[in-house]
Amino acid sequence: MGADPDGAPVGRRVVLGLLGLGALGVVAGSKVQQGLSELLAPIQLRDPTGFTSLVPLGNTWRYYSVTGAVAPRDATSYALKVSGLVERPTTYALADLEALPQLSFTDTFQCVTGWHVPDVPWTGVRLSDLLDRAAPTDAAVGVRMRSFDGVYSVNMTLDQARADDVVVALAMYGKPVTHDHGGPVRIYSGSMYGYKSTKWLSEIEVTATNDPGYWEDRGYPLDGFIGE
Ligand SMILES: Nc1nc2c(c(=O)[nH]1)N[C@H]1C(S)=C(S)[C@@H](COP(=O)(O)O)O[C@H]1N2
Ligand SMILES: [Mo]
């Protein structure tokens, strides 16, 4: 632990400096905090100690990755597989997803650990559209959403995955989803806590059972509905 893939771990001096900046953010208000939060993104992704979570950020984004740094994918290297118990397994390129009907809505992003970000605009393809196109078989019960970080996954029941507010998100704030937010493609589920929204989405597998994923194996509820 401690060493990042590029070499140096986040040092004590950096962390102490950031704590000072965080205090400044509290005084200066949310504009500065948003800027700080973006500045911290690459450090948070490489900070396995969690020290940067001590910085008081207010209602701004944290940037989570259970695997540390993730190798980026772009329009040429990205692919999304829809697999498992379906009549029509399909692999989508980014352009294929962009060509499908898009749903846009604004919603509060809520992490189960307590932080939230109000009024986040999302645009994406409804997961139910992709499932309809794939045609789940009668044996289908669950949907597993995997990440190209190679580790993260999350399950929903087929019914939960078909809800109106579950999207395969291509844009946030009117721009392509950034790498730090799990781009080029991530899940967003409006009714559920953030851990149900797989970043760096690479596969949607329709399954016969609704199995626990990464955080559910570590104690988070299998039904991730906000407020339950
Ligand atoms: N691949 C992957 N997806 C993930 C996570 C992660 O660590 N890895 N963290 C989850 C959790 S707990 C939250 S709150 C959100 C955070 O999204 P953000 O990093 O865009 O703020 O991503 C979710 N999806
Ligand atoms: Mo979270």
mmCIF file with all atom_site columns, all heavy atoms in Angstrom, residues 61 78 109 122 167-170 172 177-178 180-188 194 197-201:
data_model
loop_
_atom_site.group_PDB
_atom_site.id
_atom_site.type_symbol
_atom_site.label_atom_id
_atom_site.label_alt_id
_atom_site.label_comp_id
_atom_site.label_asym_id
_atom_site.label_entity_id
_atom_site.label_seq_id
_atom_site.pdbx_PDB_ins_code
_atom_site.Cartn_x
_atom_site.Cartn_y
_atom_site.Cartn_z
_atom_site.occupancy
_atom_site.B_iso_or_equiv
_atom_site.pdbx_formal_charge
_atom_site.auth_seq_id
_atom_site.auth_comp_id
_atom_site.auth_asym_id
_atom_site.auth_atom_id
_atom_site.pdbx_PDB_model_num
ATOM 1   N N   . TRP A 1 61  ? -17.904 17.078 -5.244  1.00 0.00 ? 61  TRP A N   1
ATOM 2   C CA  . TRP A 1 61  ? -17.574 15.711 -5.612  1.00 0.00 ? 61  TRP A CA  1
ATOM 3   C C   . TRP A 1 61  ? -16.366 15.156 -4.866  1.00 0.00 ? 61  TRP A C   1
ATOM 4   O O   . TRP A 1 61  ? -15.382 15.855 -4.663  1.00 0.00 ? 61  TRP A O   1
ATOM 5   C CB  . TRP A 1 61  ? -17.265 15.636 -7.115  1.00 0.00 ? 61  TRP A CB  1
ATOM 6   C CG  . TRP A 1 61  ? -18.481 15.849 -7.940  1.00 0.00 ? 61  TRP A CG  1
ATOM 7   C CD1 . TRP A 1 61  ? -18.863 16.994 -8.578  1.00 0.00 ? 61  TRP A CD1 1
ATOM 8   C CD2 . TRP A 1 61  ? -19.489 14.877 -8.212  1.00 0.00 ? 61  TRP A CD2 1
ATOM 9   N NE1 . TRP A 1 61  ? -20.052 16.792 -9.219  1.00 0.00 ? 61  TRP A NE1 1
ATOM 10  C CE2 . TRP A 1 61  ? -20.459 15.507 -9.013  1.00 0.00 ? 61  TRP A CE2 1
ATOM 11  C CE3 . TRP A 1 61  ? -19.677 13.531 -7.849  1.00 0.00 ? 61  TRP A CE3 1
ATOM 12  C CZ2 . TRP A 1 61  ? -21.594 14.844 -9.471  1.00 0.00 ? 61  TRP A CZ2 1
ATOM 13  C CZ3 . TRP A 1 61  ? -20.812 12.878 -8.310  1.00 0.00 ? 61  TRP A CZ3 1
ATOM 14  C CH2 . TRP A 1 61  ? -21.751 13.538 -9.102  1.00 0.00 ? 61  TRP A CH2 1
ATOM 15  N N   . TYR A 1 78  ? -12.935 2.269  -26.391 1.00 0.00 ? 78  TYR A N   1
ATOM 16  C CA  . TYR A 1 78  ? -14.048 1.927  -25.511 1.00 0.00 ? 78  TYR A CA  1
ATOM 17  C C   . TYR A 1 78  ? -15.012 0.929  -26.161 1.00 0.00 ? 78  TYR A C   1
ATOM 18  O O   . TYR A 1 78  ? -15.313 1.036  -27.355 1.00 0.00 ? 78  TYR A O   1
ATOM 19  C CB  . TYR A 1 78  ? -14.847 3.179  -25.112 1.00 0.00 ? 78  TYR A CB  1
ATOM 20  C CG  . TYR A 1 78  ? -15.976 2.812  -24.177 1.00 0.00 ? 78  TYR A CG  1
ATOM 21  C CD1 . TYR A 1 78  ? -15.710 2.574  -22.835 1.00 0.00 ? 78  TYR A CD1 1
ATOM 22  C CD2 . TYR A 1 78  ? -17.271 2.626  -24.648 1.00 0.00 ? 78  TYR A CD2 1
ATOM 23  C CE1 . TYR A 1 78  ? -16.713 2.169  -21.977 1.00 0.00 ? 78  TYR A CE1 1
ATOM 24  C CE2 . TYR A 1 78  ? -18.277 2.216  -23.796 1.00 0.00 ? 78  TYR A CE2 1
ATOM 25  C CZ  . TYR A 1 78  ? -17.989 1.994  -22.459 1.00 0.00 ? 78  TYR A CZ  1
ATOM 26  O OH  . TYR A 1 78  ? -18.982 1.575  -21.616 1.00 0.00 ? 78  TYR A OH  1
ATOM 27  N N   . PHE A 1 109 ? -26.843 13.821 -6.458  1.00 0.00 ? 109 PHE A N   1
ATOM 28  C CA  . PHE A 1 109 ? -25.998 12.631 -6.323  1.00 0.00 ? 109 PHE A CA  1
ATOM 29  C C   . PHE A 1 109 ? -25.740 12.385 -4.843  1.00 0.00 ? 109 PHE A C   1
ATOM 30  O O   . PHE A 1 109 ? -25.317 13.285 -4.121  1.00 0.00 ? 109 PHE A O   1
ATOM 31  C CB  . PHE A 1 109 ? -24.669 12.829 -7.055  1.00 0.00 ? 109 PHE A CB  1
ATOM 32  C CG  . PHE A 1 109 ? -23.854 11.566 -7.163  1.00 0.00 ? 109 PHE A CG  1
ATOM 33  C CD1 . PHE A 1 109 ? -23.967 10.765 -8.282  1.00 0.00 ? 109 PHE A CD1 1
ATOM 34  C CD2 . PHE A 1 109 ? -22.998 11.187 -6.145  1.00 0.00 ? 109 PHE A CD2 1
ATOM 35  C CE1 . PHE A 1 109 ? -23.229 9.593  -8.400  1.00 0.00 ? 109 PHE A CE1 1
ATOM 36  C CE2 . PHE A 1 109 ? -22.259 10.012 -6.250  1.00 0.00 ? 109 PHE A CE2 1
ATOM 37  C CZ  . PHE A 1 109 ? -22.364 9.213  -7.373  1.00 0.00 ? 109 PHE A CZ  1
ATOM 38  N N   . TRP A 1 122 ? -27.540 15.009 -16.006 1.00 0.00 ? 122 TRP A N   1
ATOM 39  C CA  . TRP A 1 122 ? -27.063 13.763 -16.636 1.00 0.00 ? 122 TRP A CA  1
ATOM 40  C C   . TRP A 1 122 ? -27.682 13.603 -18.010 1.00 0.00 ? 122 TRP A C   1
ATOM 41  O O   . TRP A 1 122 ? -28.836 14.008 -18.219 1.00 0.00 ? 122 TRP A O   1
ATOM 42  C CB  . TRP A 1 122 ? -27.463 12.550 -15.800 1.00 0.00 ? 122 TRP A CB  1
ATOM 43  C CG  . TRP A 1 122 ? -26.829 12.479 -14.465 1.00 0.00 ? 122 TRP A CG  1
ATOM 44  C CD1 . TRP A 1 122 ? -27.367 12.940 -13.289 1.00 0.00 ? 122 TRP A CD1 1
ATOM 45  C CD2 . TRP A 1 122 ? -25.553 11.950 -14.134 1.00 0.00 ? 122 TRP A CD2 1
ATOM 46  N NE1 . TRP A 1 122 ? -26.489 12.717 -12.256 1.00 0.00 ? 122 TRP A NE1 1
ATOM 47  C CE2 . TRP A 1 122 ? -25.369 12.110 -12.755 1.00 0.00 ? 122 TRP A CE2 1
ATOM 48  C CE3 . TRP A 1 122 ? -24.541 11.342 -14.885 1.00 0.00 ? 122 TRP A CE3 1
ATOM 49  C CZ2 . TRP A 1 122 ? -24.214 11.687 -12.094 1.00 0.00 ? 122 TRP A CZ2 1
ATOM 50  C CZ3 . TRP A 1 122 ? -23.396 10.925 -14.234 1.00 0.00 ? 122 TRP A CZ3 1
ATOM 51  C CH2 . TRP A 1 122 ? -23.236 11.099 -12.853 1.00 0.00 ? 122 TRP A CH2 1
ATOM 52  N N   . VAL A 1 167 ? -29.583 5.228  -16.051 1.00 0.00 ? 167 VAL A N   1
ATOM 53  C CA  . VAL A 1 167 ? -29.030 5.494  -17.388 1.00 0.00 ? 167 VAL A CA  1
ATOM 54  C C   . VAL A 1 167 ? -27.587 5.024  -17.498 1.00 0.00 ? 167 VAL A C   1
ATOM 55  O O   . VAL A 1 167 ? -26.829 5.008  -16.522 1.00 0.00 ? 167 VAL A O   1
ATOM 56  C CB  . VAL A 1 167 ? -29.083 6.999  -17.771 1.00 0.00 ? 167 VAL A CB  1
ATOM 57  C CG1 . VAL A 1 167 ? -30.503 7.428  -18.051 1.00 0.00 ? 167 VAL A CG1 1
ATOM 58  C CG2 . VAL A 1 167 ? -28.412 7.870  -16.736 1.00 0.00 ? 167 VAL A CG2 1
ATOM 59  N N   . VAL A 1 168 ? -27.248 4.641  -18.714 1.00 0.00 ? 168 VAL A N   1
ATOM 60  C CA  . VAL A 1 168 ? -25.865 4.446  -19.113 1.00 0.00 ? 168 VAL A CA  1
ATOM 61  C C   . VAL A 1 168 ? -25.421 5.840  -19.549 1.00 0.00 ? 168 VAL A C   1
ATOM 62  O O   . VAL A 1 168 ? -25.732 6.301  -20.642 1.00 0.00 ? 168 VAL A O   1
ATOM 63  C CB  . VAL A 1 168 ? -25.802 3.410  -20.252 1.00 0.00 ? 168 VAL A CB  1
ATOM 64  C CG1 . VAL A 1 168 ? -24.415 3.340  -20.863 1.00 0.00 ? 168 VAL A CG1 1
ATOM 65  C CG2 . VAL A 1 168 ? -26.230 2.039  -19.717 1.00 0.00 ? 168 VAL A CG2 1
ATOM 66  N N   . ALA A 1 169 ? -24.737 6.533  -18.613 1.00 0.00 ? 169 ALA A N   1
ATOM 67  C CA  . ALA A 1 169 ? -24.520 7.972  -18.782 1.00 0.00 ? 169 ALA A CA  1
ATOM 68  C C   . ALA A 1 169 ? -23.320 8.254  -19.687 1.00 0.00 ? 169 ALA A C   1
ATOM 69  O O   . ALA A 1 169 ? -22.239 7.689  -19.504 1.00 0.00 ? 169 ALA A O   1
ATOM 70  C CB  . ALA A 1 169 ? -24.316 8.626  -17.427 1.00 0.00 ? 169 ALA A CB  1
ATOM 71  N N   . LEU A 1 170 ? -23.544 9.142  -20.660 1.00 0.00 ? 170 LEU A N   1
ATOM 72  C CA  . LEU A 1 170 ? -22.478 9.580  -21.572 1.00 0.00 ? 170 LEU A CA  1
ATOM 73  C C   . LEU A 1 170 ? -22.042 10.999 -21.263 1.00 0.00 ? 170 LEU A C   1
ATOM 74  O O   . LEU A 1 170 ? -20.952 11.416 -21.652 1.00 0.00 ? 170 LEU A O   1
ATOM 75  C CB  . LEU A 1 170 ? -22.957 9.521  -23.030 1.00 0.00 ? 170 LEU A CB  1
ATOM 76  C CG  . LEU A 1 170 ? -23.540 8.190  -23.520 1.00 0.00 ? 170 LEU A CG  1
ATOM 77  C CD1 . LEU A 1 170 ? -23.933 8.306  -24.990 1.00 0.00 ? 170 LEU A CD1 1
ATOM 78  C CD2 . LEU A 1 170 ? -22.533 7.072  -23.338 1.00 0.00 ? 170 LEU A CD2 1
ATOM 79  N N   . MET A 1 172 ? -22.292 14.484 -18.333 1.00 0.00 ? 172 MET A N   1
ATOM 80  C CA  . MET A 1 172 ? -22.576 15.114 -17.040 1.00 0.00 ? 172 MET A CA  1
ATOM 81  C C   . MET A 1 172 ? -22.354 16.591 -17.247 1.00 0.00 ? 172 MET A C   1
ATOM 82  O O   . MET A 1 172 ? -21.380 16.964 -17.906 1.00 0.00 ? 172 MET A O   1
ATOM 83  C CB  . MET A 1 172 ? -21.513 14.676 -16.027 1.00 0.00 ? 172 MET A CB  1
ATOM 84  C CG  . MET A 1 172 ? -21.850 13.580 -15.101 1.00 0.00 ? 172 MET A CG  1
ATOM 85  S SD  . MET A 1 172 ? -20.348 13.163 -14.156 1.00 0.00 ? 172 MET A SD  1
ATOM 86  C CE  . MET A 1 172 ? -20.683 14.029 -12.643 1.00 0.00 ? 172 MET A CE  1
ATOM 87  N N   . VAL A 1 177 ? -18.712 12.568 -19.922 1.00 0.00 ? 177 VAL A N   1
ATOM 88  C CA  . VAL A 1 177 ? -18.313 12.179 -18.563 1.00 0.00 ? 177 VAL A CA  1
ATOM 89  C C   . VAL A 1 177 ? -16.777 12.103 -18.520 1.00 0.00 ? 177 VAL A C   1
ATOM 90  O O   . VAL A 1 177 ? -16.165 11.426 -19.353 1.00 0.00 ? 177 VAL A O   1
ATOM 91  C CB  . VAL A 1 177 ? -18.919 10.812 -18.168 1.00 0.00 ? 177 VAL A CB  1
ATOM 92  C CG1 . VAL A 1 177 ? -18.455 10.410 -16.774 1.00 0.00 ? 177 VAL A CG1 1
ATOM 93  C CG2 . VAL A 1 177 ? -20.444 10.857 -18.229 1.00 0.00 ? 177 VAL A CG2 1
ATOM 94  N N   . THR A 1 178 ? -16.173 12.818 -17.572 1.00 0.00 ? 178 THR A N   1
ATOM 95  C CA  . THR A 1 178 ? -14.711 12.844 -17.493 1.00 0.00 ? 178 THR A CA  1
ATOM 96  C C   . THR A 1 178 ? -14.176 11.502 -16.999 1.00 0.00 ? 178 THR A C   1
ATOM 97  O O   . THR A 1 178 ? -14.900 10.708 -16.381 1.00 0.00 ? 178 THR A O   1
ATOM 98  C CB  . THR A 1 178 ? -14.229 13.941 -16.514 1.00 0.00 ? 178 THR A CB  1
ATOM 99  O OG1 . THR A 1 178 ? -14.730 13.613 -15.207 1.00 0.00 ? 178 THR A OG1 1
ATOM 100 C CG2 . THR A 1 178 ? -14.718 15.325 -16.940 1.00 0.00 ? 178 THR A CG2 1
ATOM 101 N N   . ASP A 1 180 ? -12.189 10.934 -14.496 1.00 0.00 ? 180 ASP A N   1
ATOM 102 C CA  . ASP A 1 180 ? -12.261 10.829 -13.032 1.00 0.00 ? 180 ASP A CA  1
ATOM 103 C C   . ASP A 1 180 ? -13.668 10.486 -12.540 1.00 0.00 ? 180 ASP A C   1
ATOM 104 O O   . ASP A 1 180 ? -13.834 9.899  -11.472 1.00 0.00 ? 180 ASP A O   1
ATOM 105 C CB  . ASP A 1 180 ? -11.785 12.127 -12.376 1.00 0.00 ? 180 ASP A CB  1
ATOM 106 C CG  . ASP A 1 180 ? -10.280 12.351 -12.569 1.00 0.00 ? 180 ASP A CG  1
ATOM 107 O OD1 . ASP A 1 180 ? -9.564  11.359 -12.801 1.00 0.00 ? 180 ASP A OD1 1
ATOM 108 O OD2 . ASP A 1 180 ? -9.841  13.508 -12.486 1.00 0.00 ? 180 ASP A OD2 1
ATOM 109 N N   . HIS A 1 181 ? -14.677 10.860 -13.312 1.00 0.00 ? 181 HIS A N   1
ATOM 110 C CA  . HIS A 1 181 ? -16.060 10.516 -12.955 1.00 0.00 ? 181 HIS A CA  1
ATOM 111 C C   . HIS A 1 181 ? -16.498 9.190  -13.584 1.00 0.00 ? 181 HIS A C   1
ATOM 112 O O   . HIS A 1 181 ? -17.680 8.848  -13.541 1.00 0.00 ? 181 HIS A O   1
ATOM 113 C CB  . HIS A 1 181 ? -17.018 11.619 -13.387 1.00 0.00 ? 181 HIS A CB  1
ATOM 114 C CG  . HIS A 1 181 ? -17.119 12.760 -12.400 1.00 0.00 ? 181 HIS A CG  1
ATOM 115 N ND1 . HIS A 1 181 ? -17.416 12.566 -11.068 1.00 0.00 ? 181 HIS A ND1 1
ATOM 116 C CD2 . HIS A 1 181 ? -16.956 14.092 -12.558 1.00 0.00 ? 181 HIS A CD2 1
ATOM 117 C CE1 . HIS A 1 181 ? -17.442 13.740 -10.440 1.00 0.00 ? 181 HIS A CE1 1
ATOM 118 N NE2 . HIS A 1 181 ? -17.151 14.688 -11.322 1.00 0.00 ? 181 HIS A NE2 1
ATOM 119 N N   . GLY A 1 182 ? -15.566 8.454  -14.185 1.00 0.00 ? 182 GLY A N   1
ATOM 120 C CA  . GLY A 1 182 ? -15.902 7.122  -14.687 1.00 0.00 ? 182 GLY A CA  1
ATOM 121 C C   . GLY A 1 182 ? -16.196 7.075  -16.169 1.00 0.00 ? 182 GLY A C   1
ATOM 122 O O   . GLY A 1 182 ? -16.772 6.104  -16.661 1.00 0.00 ? 182 GLY A O   1
ATOM 123 N N   . GLY A 1 183 ? -15.810 8.132  -16.900 1.00 0.00 ? 183 GLY A N   1
ATOM 124 C CA  . GLY A 1 183 ? -16.043 8.173  -18.333 1.00 0.00 ? 183 GLY A CA  1
ATOM 125 C C   . GLY A 1 183 ? -15.100 7.269  -19.112 1.00 0.00 ? 183 GLY A C   1
ATOM 126 O O   . GLY A 1 183 ? -14.156 6.741  -18.540 1.00 0.00 ? 183 GLY A O   1
ATOM 127 N N   . PRO A 1 184 ? -15.406 7.041  -20.393 1.00 0.00 ? 184 PRO A N   1
ATOM 128 C CA  . PRO A 1 184 ? -16.436 7.769  -21.133 1.00 0.00 ? 184 PRO A CA  1
ATOM 129 C C   . PRO A 1 184 ? -17.882 7.363  -20.828 1.00 0.00 ? 184 PRO A C   1
ATOM 130 O O   . PRO A 1 184 ? -18.794 8.071  -21.197 1.00 0.00 ? 184 PRO A O   1
ATOM 131 C CB  . PRO A 1 184 ? -16.099 7.440  -22.606 1.00 0.00 ? 184 PRO A CB  1
ATOM 132 C CG  . PRO A 1 184 ? -15.384 6.134  -22.556 1.00 0.00 ? 184 PRO A CG  1
ATOM 133 C CD  . PRO A 1 184 ? -14.626 6.125  -21.257 1.00 0.00 ? 184 PRO A CD  1
ATOM 134 N N   . VAL A 1 185 ? -18.081 6.243  -20.116 1.00 0.00 ? 185 VAL A N   1
ATOM 135 C CA  . VAL A 1 185 ? -19.444 5.757  -19.880 1.00 0.00 ? 185 VAL A CA  1
ATOM 136 C C   . VAL A 1 185 ? -19.539 5.184  -18.474 1.00 0.00 ? 185 VAL A C   1
ATOM 137 O O   . VAL A 1 185 ? -18.733 4.326  -18.089 1.00 0.00 ? 185 VAL A O   1
ATOM 138 C CB  . VAL A 1 185 ? -19.817 4.655  -20.906 1.00 0.00 ? 185 VAL A CB  1
ATOM 139 C CG1 . VAL A 1 185 ? -21.216 4.130  -20.639 1.00 0.00 ? 185 VAL A CG1 1
ATOM 140 C CG2 . VAL A 1 185 ? -19.706 5.185  -22.337 1.00 0.00 ? 185 VAL A CG2 1
ATOM 141 N N   . ARG A 1 186 ? -20.515 5.667  -17.692 1.00 0.00 ? 186 ARG A N   1
ATOM 142 C CA  . ARG A 1 186 ? -20.767 5.120  -16.365 1.00 0.00 ? 186 ARG A CA  1
ATOM 143 C C   . ARG A 1 186 ? -22.263 4.916  -16.202 1.00 0.00 ? 186 ARG A C   1
ATOM 144 O O   . ARG A 1 186 ? -23.056 5.429  -16.983 1.00 0.00 ? 186 ARG A O   1
ATOM 145 C CB  . ARG A 1 186 ? -20.255 6.054  -15.275 1.00 0.00 ? 186 ARG A CB  1
ATOM 146 C CG  . ARG A 1 186 ? -21.111 7.317  -15.113 1.00 0.00 ? 186 ARG A CG  1
ATOM 147 C CD  . ARG A 1 186 ? -20.661 8.190  -13.967 1.00 0.00 ? 186 ARG A CD  1
ATOM 148 N NE  . ARG A 1 186 ? -20.917 7.577  -12.671 1.00 0.00 ? 186 ARG A NE  1
ATOM 149 C CZ  . ARG A 1 186 ? -20.378 8.011  -11.532 1.00 0.00 ? 186 ARG A CZ  1
ATOM 150 N NH1 . ARG A 1 186 ? -19.562 9.048  -11.546 1.00 0.00 ? 186 ARG A NH1 1
ATOM 151 N NH2 . ARG A 1 186 ? -20.659 7.418  -10.396 1.00 0.00 ? 186 ARG A NH2 1
ATOM 152 N N   . ILE A 1 187 ? -22.630 4.183  -15.173 1.00 0.00 ? 187 ILE A N   1
ATOM 153 C CA  . ILE A 1 187 ? -24.047 4.078  -14.811 1.00 0.00 ? 187 ILE A CA  1
ATOM 154 C C   . ILE A 1 187 ? -24.411 5.262  -13.918 1.00 0.00 ? 187 ILE A C   1
ATOM 155 O O   . ILE A 1 187 ? -23.592 5.741  -13.133 1.00 0.00 ? 187 ILE A O   1
ATOM 156 C CB  . ILE A 1 187 ? -24.301 2.753  -14.051 1.00 0.00 ? 187 ILE A CB  1
ATOM 157 C CG1 . ILE A 1 187 ? -24.088 1.544  -14.964 1.00 0.00 ? 187 ILE A CG1 1
ATOM 158 C CG2 . ILE A 1 187 ? -25.690 2.725  -13.419 1.00 0.00 ? 187 ILE A CG2 1
ATOM 159 C CD1 . ILE A 1 187 ? -25.189 1.326  -15.998 1.00 0.00 ? 187 ILE A CD1 1
ATOM 160 N N   . TYR A 1 188 ? -25.638 5.765  -14.036 1.00 0.00 ? 188 TYR A N   1
ATOM 161 C CA  . TYR A 1 188 ? -26.200 6.610  -12.991 1.00 0.00 ? 188 TYR A CA  1
ATOM 162 C C   . TYR A 1 188 ? -27.605 6.109  -12.667 1.00 0.00 ? 188 TYR A C   1
ATOM 163 O O   . TYR A 1 188 ? -28.437 5.960  -13.569 1.00 0.00 ? 188 TYR A O   1
ATOM 164 C CB  . TYR A 1 188 ? -26.259 8.091  -13.391 1.00 0.00 ? 188 TYR A CB  1
ATOM 165 C CG  . TYR A 1 188 ? -26.900 8.894  -12.277 1.00 0.00 ? 188 TYR A CG  1
ATOM 166 C CD1 . TYR A 1 188 ? -26.261 9.027  -11.057 1.00 0.00 ? 188 TYR A CD1 1
ATOM 167 C CD2 . TYR A 1 188 ? -28.185 9.420  -12.418 1.00 0.00 ? 188 TYR A CD2 1
ATOM 168 C CE1 . TYR A 1 188 ? -26.868 9.685  -9.992  1.00 0.00 ? 188 TYR A CE1 1
ATOM 169 C CE2 . TYR A 1 188 ? -28.795 10.088 -11.360 1.00 0.00 ? 188 TYR A CE2 1
ATOM 170 C CZ  . TYR A 1 188 ? -28.125 10.211 -10.154 1.00 0.00 ? 188 TYR A CZ  1
ATOM 171 O OH  . TYR A 1 188 ? -28.728 10.843 -9.101  1.00 0.00 ? 188 TYR A OH  1
ATOM 172 N N   . GLY A 1 194 ? -24.775 6.253  -4.513  1.00 0.00 ? 194 GLY A N   1
ATOM 173 C CA  . GLY A 1 194 ? -23.721 6.314  -5.526  1.00 0.00 ? 194 GLY A CA  1
ATOM 174 C C   . GLY A 1 194 ? -23.020 4.997  -5.813  1.00 0.00 ? 194 GLY A C   1
ATOM 175 O O   . GLY A 1 194 ? -22.583 4.771  -6.938  1.00 0.00 ? 194 GLY A O   1
ATOM 176 N N   . SER A 1 197 ? -23.759 3.039  -8.906  1.00 0.00 ? 197 SER A N   1
ATOM 177 C CA  . SER A 1 197 ? -23.471 3.631  -10.217 1.00 0.00 ? 197 SER A CA  1
ATOM 178 C C   . SER A 1 197 ? -22.039 3.300  -10.642 1.00 0.00 ? 197 SER A C   1
ATOM 179 O O   . SER A 1 197 ? -21.096 4.037  -10.345 1.00 0.00 ? 197 SER A O   1
ATOM 180 C CB  . SER A 1 197 ? -23.661 5.150  -10.161 1.00 0.00 ? 197 SER A CB  1
ATOM 181 O OG  . SER A 1 197 ? -25.024 5.474  -9.908  1.00 0.00 ? 197 SER A OG  1
ATOM 182 N N   . THR A 1 198 ? -21.885 2.175  -11.334 1.00 0.00 ? 198 THR A N   1
ATOM 183 C CA  . THR A 1 198 ? -20.562 1.701  -11.758 1.00 0.00 ? 198 THR A CA  1
ATOM 184 C C   . THR A 1 198 ? -19.877 2.688  -12.691 1.00 0.00 ? 198 THR A C   1
ATOM 185 O O   . THR A 1 198 ? -20.451 3.084  -13.707 1.00 0.00 ? 198 THR A O   1
ATOM 186 C CB  . THR A 1 198 ? -20.694 0.333  -12.465 1.00 0.00 ? 198 THR A CB  1
ATOM 187 O OG1 . THR A 1 198 ? -21.220 -0.611 -11.540 1.00 0.00 ? 198 THR A OG1 1
ATOM 188 C CG2 . THR A 1 198 ? -19.346 -0.170 -12.980 1.00 0.00 ? 198 THR A CG2 1
ATOM 189 N N   . LYS A 1 199 ? -18.653 3.089  -12.328 1.00 0.00 ? 199 LYS A N   1
ATOM 190 C CA  . LYS A 1 199 ? -17.833 3.951  -13.182 1.00 0.00 ? 199 LYS A CA  1
ATOM 191 C C   . LYS A 1 199 ? -17.026 3.093  -14.156 1.00 0.00 ? 199 LYS A C   1
ATOM 192 O O   . LYS A 1 199 ? -16.778 1.922  -13.905 1.00 0.00 ? 199 LYS A O   1
ATOM 193 C CB  . LYS A 1 199 ? -16.874 4.773  -12.310 1.00 0.00 ? 199 LYS A CB  1
ATOM 194 C CG  . LYS A 1 199 ? -17.599 5.712  -11.352 1.00 0.00 ? 199 LYS A CG  1
ATOM 195 C CD  . LYS A 1 199 ? -16.685 6.304  -10.304 1.00 0.00 ? 199 LYS A CD  1
ATOM 196 C CE  . LYS A 1 199 ? -15.657 7.258  -10.890 1.00 0.00 ? 199 LYS A CE  1
ATOM 197 N NZ  . LYS A 1 199 ? -14.904 7.978  -9.810  1.00 0.00 ? 199 LYS A NZ  1
ATOM 198 N N   . TRP A 1 200 ? -16.600 3.712  -15.261 1.00 0.00 ? 200 TRP A N   1
ATOM 199 C CA  . TRP A 1 200 ? -15.801 3.009  -16.278 1.00 0.00 ? 200 TRP A CA  1
ATOM 200 C C   . TRP A 1 200 ? -16.510 1.709  -16.721 1.00 0.00 ? 200 TRP A C   1
ATOM 201 O O   . TRP A 1 200 ? -15.928 0.623  -16.757 1.00 0.00 ? 200 TRP A O   1
ATOM 202 C CB  . TRP A 1 200 ? -14.391 2.711  -15.732 1.00 0.00 ? 200 TRP A CB  1
ATOM 203 C CG  . TRP A 1 200 ? -13.698 3.939  -15.244 1.00 0.00 ? 200 TRP A CG  1
ATOM 204 C CD1 . TRP A 1 200 ? -13.311 5.015  -16.000 1.00 0.00 ? 200 TRP A CD1 1
ATOM 205 C CD2 . TRP A 1 200 ? -13.312 4.254  -13.889 1.00 0.00 ? 200 TRP A CD2 1
ATOM 206 N NE1 . TRP A 1 200 ? -12.717 5.965  -15.190 1.00 0.00 ? 200 TRP A NE1 1
ATOM 207 C CE2 . TRP A 1 200 ? -12.701 5.519  -13.897 1.00 0.00 ? 200 TRP A CE2 1
ATOM 208 C CE3 . TRP A 1 200 ? -13.426 3.564  -12.670 1.00 0.00 ? 200 TRP A CE3 1
ATOM 209 C CZ2 . TRP A 1 200 ? -12.204 6.122  -12.736 1.00 0.00 ? 200 TRP A CZ2 1
ATOM 210 C CZ3 . TRP A 1 200 ? -12.934 4.165  -11.525 1.00 0.00 ? 200 TRP A CZ3 1
ATOM 211 C CH2 . TRP A 1 200 ? -12.327 5.426  -11.568 1.00 0.00 ? 200 TRP A CH2 1
ATOM 212 N N   . LEU A 1 201 ? -17.783 1.864  -17.053 1.00 0.00 ? 201 LEU A N   1
ATOM 213 C CA  . LEU A 1 201 ? -18.637 0.715  -17.375 1.00 0.00 ? 201 LEU A CA  1
ATOM 214 C C   . LEU A 1 201 ? -18.131 -0.049 -18.603 1.00 0.00 ? 201 LEU A C   1
ATOM 215 O O   . LEU A 1 201 ? -17.868 0.548  -19.643 1.00 0.00 ? 201 LEU A O   1
ATOM 216 C CB  . LEU A 1 201 ? -20.058 1.219  -17.652 1.00 0.00 ? 201 LEU A CB  1
ATOM 217 C CG  . LEU A 1 201 ? -21.114 0.152  -17.951 1.00 0.00 ? 201 LEU A CG  1
ATOM 218 C CD1 . LEU A 1 201 ? -21.420 -0.683 -16.708 1.00 0.00 ? 201 LEU A CD1 1
ATOM 219 C CD2 . LEU A 1 201 ? -22.392 0.807  -18.478 1.00 0.00 ? 201 LEU A CD2 1
#
